[in-house]
Every structure is written in C-alpha cells, then in structure tokens.
Amino acid sequence: MTTIPHDPPGLDLPRLAAWFAATVPGVAEGPLGARLIAGGRSNLTYEVSDGRAMWIVRRPPLGHVLATAHDMAREFRVMSALRDTGVPVPRTYALCRDEGVLGAPFYVMERVAGTPYRYAAELQPLGAERTRAISIGLIDVLSTLHEVDPAAIGLGDFGRPEGFLARQVRRWRKQLDASHSRDLPAADELYARLAAGVPPETAPGVVHGDYRLDNVLVDDNDGPVAVIDWEMATIGDPLTDLALLVVYQRLGTLLGGNVVADASSSAGFLNEDELIERYTARSDRDLSRLGFYLGLASFKLAAILEGIHYRHLHGQTVGSGFDRMGEAIIPILDAGLTSLKEQY
C-alpha cells in the first residue's frame, strides 16, 4: 500500500499511529498510511497500513452528533460476538471510545479480501453459473445468521425484541411524514394495513438490518467471506432481513443499475421465489405471514426513497439518478399492498 502524505478526512494519522502502536498487536513502528474507501452519511471506512499489513478503521460520519444512529460499540460488539459462529465476519481488534484520538469513537477490524458486488455489469463477466453460486451463498449466510441464538453469544441484551414489528411500522411512518412533499394514498393504506395486522412475536434473532449483496464480501471462489456494515444490527424479528432482501431485488428491477444496485437482475441470480424457497428449506422459521414482512419492507424502502426524493426536490442531493427515485415509490408501495394479500 502506498503511504498517503496527508490525512484522509476524519483521520488524524499521527494520533491514530500512537494509539495503534499502544493498542493493536503486530503494528510496525513508524507512520501509517490510509485511504478513505467509503464515505457519506453512513459510517466512514478507511484502509490503514503500516507498510506491511492492512486493517480497516470505521468511524461515524464527520460532524455527526446522534451517537445512537452510528454507534461504533454496537457494530464492534455484534461482529465480535458472531466471530465463532457460522456467519463470516471480519475479525475485530480494538474499540476506541476516547474521542480525543479521532474526534469520535472508532474501531479496528480485519481487512478481508473480497468483492462487494453491486451491479449486474459486475456479475455478467462471471457467467450465470458463478452468479447463481454467489446468490446461493448470500441467502445461505442469512439463514445461518438467523439460526444463531443471541443469548448464547452474549447478545441477549443487544436489542428490544418485544414489540419490534409494531415499532418498525411506527418508525417508518414517522420517517415518511418527515419527508412529506406529496400525497401518497398507497402509503396511507399500506400503513393502516400494517398497523392493524402485526403478526404475533416469534423467537428473536440477530437482525442485520440492511442485508444485501453489496454488504457481503465475496472471494475469488464465489463464496461469502465477510458480512459487513452492521450499523443497523439489533435483536428482533429476522424475517425483516429476508423481506428487505427481496424488496431490494424488486427495486433493482424497477430502477436498474444506473440508479440503484441491480446485481440481482443478472442471469443466474436466484429470483424472488427461489430465494424464499432456499431460505425456507434451511430455516425453522414460520414464513406463513411473509406477506406482512414484505409489506413492511416495501413501506420502509418507500420511506427511504421518499426522503431521497424530498431532498432532491430541495436541491440537497449531489450526483445523478436522484431525479428517478420518486418514480419507484408508487410501484414499491403497490407491491407491498399486493404482498399483504399473498401467502407463501
């Protein structure tokens, strides 16, 4: 890795080097090099090197003040807890709560070699057979995650599973209201149906919160080697992960790779029914009310997209594709309403 002569945004390398030397085992003496590999409103991710080895450092966005939304200790804790399970996660090394080092809490984890596939154009050169293997690995890891007993790995107090689904319905209603720029009768109907039809609570599990292919690193043998981006993880109803994965797939079909991730549209990738069938075959969970979860995932994604649409209308987005976000919301809401009427 080439040493970068200046500090990337949010990373004071001299301060970080002193903390590394005292905390992270096996670090060579001398300066560190670093580069920002993921930024924005999500947590910032850096590749850090001492010239011999590499690590990943994660910290909250610059200027962030709501610690609960970007809690470094939560990410660090859930990955550390999952280390000895069948769920592939990066090895964690150290958590720093001292904001005097970087101005915010941060943690250090293993740099795992792998590709976070996002677009169909990235999978196309691999061919249908390899793409199918990647999608099978994606759903198999999710089913493995959902079979983990949170209490058995020290995560019994990691979230509030009681009333989880009802809180999710209310939360995304509030998010939608906060971005109001137009009337969305389908959203009102979907919310009313969800609020009136919350299923009985089931055995809680570890919920990733944003599970999709580009949050899974895949190695050269087409196998999943690390699930990343655990900032929304909690303990709750795991079927929300499965449903969101399916609805992300629907969104990719609606908008395509110029706007959102569309890897699932590649030839060979398991379709919606195949994903659900594969999960069902590997899980003891009751999917008889999956229609509700797909409706909830549709409502959640519609609220997120409406927020992007709202910011675009007010000149608060930068880049291409944002002008098309609004057009996907009605089809996603309609699909959510249809899902509530269907059973799997």
Side-chain angles (χ1 to χ4, degrees):
M1 176 177 176
T2 302
T3 301
I4 300 174
H6 56 81
D7 298 344
L11 214 62
D12 185 321
L13 285 178
R15 285 182 178 272
L16 182 65
W19 181 86
F20 250 66
T23 311
V24 180
V27 179
E29 293 185 7
L32 296 175
R35 69 184 182 98
L36 178 66
I37 59 176
R41 286 181 294 275
S42 186
N43 292 331
L44 305 181
T45 306
Y46 307 85
E47 195 174 70
V48 174
S49 175
D50 62 358
R52 300 185 310 177
M54 292 185 186
W55 299 267
I56 295 296
V57 170
R58 292 262 288 176
R59 60 149 293 163
L62 300 180
H64 184 73
V65 294
L66 297 176
T68 54
H70 297 274
D71 189 341
M72 296 295 95
R74 286 183 64 82
E75 276 197 42
F76 183 85
R77 182 181 173 190
V78 70
M79 283 191 293
S80 300
L82 288 167
R83 184 179 65 188
D84 296 324
T85 69
V87 181
V89 290
R91 181 174 293 274
T92 51
Y93 292 117
L95 170 69
C96 180
R97 301 176 185 269
D98 180 4
E99 298 188 9
V101 180
L102 294 184
F106 66 93
Y107 68 88
V108 183
M109 66 180 175
E110 172 189 14
R111 178 187 178 273
V112 178
T115 302
Y117 291 106
R118 183 173 176 82
Y119 300 110
E122 297 170 329
L123 289 175
Q124 184 177 2
L126 304 182
E129 185 176 345
R130 293 183 62 187
T131 296
R132 182 175 181 83
I134 289 171
S135 63
I136 288 174
L138 175 71
I139 195 65
D140 285 359
V141 165
L142 186 63
S143 63
T144 298
L145 171 66
H146 293 166
E147 294 304 306
V148 172
D149 178 358
I153 59 171
L155 294 179
D157 62 345
F158 190 67
R160 291 188 297 142
E162 300 82 5
F164 175 78
L165 290 176
R167 287 198 306 276
Q168 286 287 299
V169 173
R170 293 194 298 269
R171 173 186 178 182
W172 294 108
R173 173 80 255 187
K174 290 179 181 178
Q175 290 289 105
L176 194 59
D177 289 345
S179 303
H180 181 79
S181 64
R182 55 181 172 165
D183 291 334
L184 293 170
D188 296 334
E189 182 181 356
L190 183 53
Y191 168 73
R193 288 177 175 268
L194 290 169
V198 176
E201 293 181 357
T202 60
V206 181
V207 176
H208 181 277
D210 196 25
Y211 192 80
R212 57 182 196 259
L213 185 58
D214 52 330
N215 278 336
V216 178
L217 301 181
V218 177
D219 66 12
D220 292 338
N221 295 317
D222 305 325
V225 288
V227 181
I228 57 175
D229 289 356
W230 292 87
E231 61 186 277
M232 298 180 71
T234 189
I235 303 300
D237 193 319
L239 292 185
T240 54
D241 273 342
L242 174 63
L244 187 60
L245 180 64
V246 169
V247 175
Y248 270 134
Q249 191 154 324
R250 293 175 177 176
L251 182 64
T253 301
L254 282 172
L255 290 181
N258 291 330
V259 182
V260 297
D262 69 337
S264 60
S265 66
S266 299
F269 203 100
L270 295 180
N271 64 33
E272 180 175 321
D273 289 337
E274 289 172 326
L275 281 175
I276 294 169
E277 289 172 6
R278 180 84 183 184
Y279 183 94
T280 302
R282 293 174 52 87
S283 174
D284 293 331
R285 299 212 170 251
D286 180 6
L287 272 69
S288 63
R289 294 291 306 278
L290 185 60
F292 171 89
Y293 295 89
L294 291 169
L296 175 58
S298 300
F299 190 63
K300 171 181 177 176
L301 196 51
I304 293 171
L305 293 177
E306 188 67 6
I308 296 172
H309 175 68
Y310 178 89
R311 291 190 293 275
H312 172 72
L313 292 178
H314 290 79
Q316 298 170 350
T317 54
V318 178
S320 61
F322 293 110
D323 57 324
R324 293 190 56 204
M325 289 294 183
E327 67 189 60
I329 294 169
I330 300 301
I332 286 291
L333 290 170
D334 288 343
L337 285 166
T338 299
S339 294
L340 287 179
K341 304 171 186 176
E342 295 177 347
Q343 300 298 323
Y344 280 80

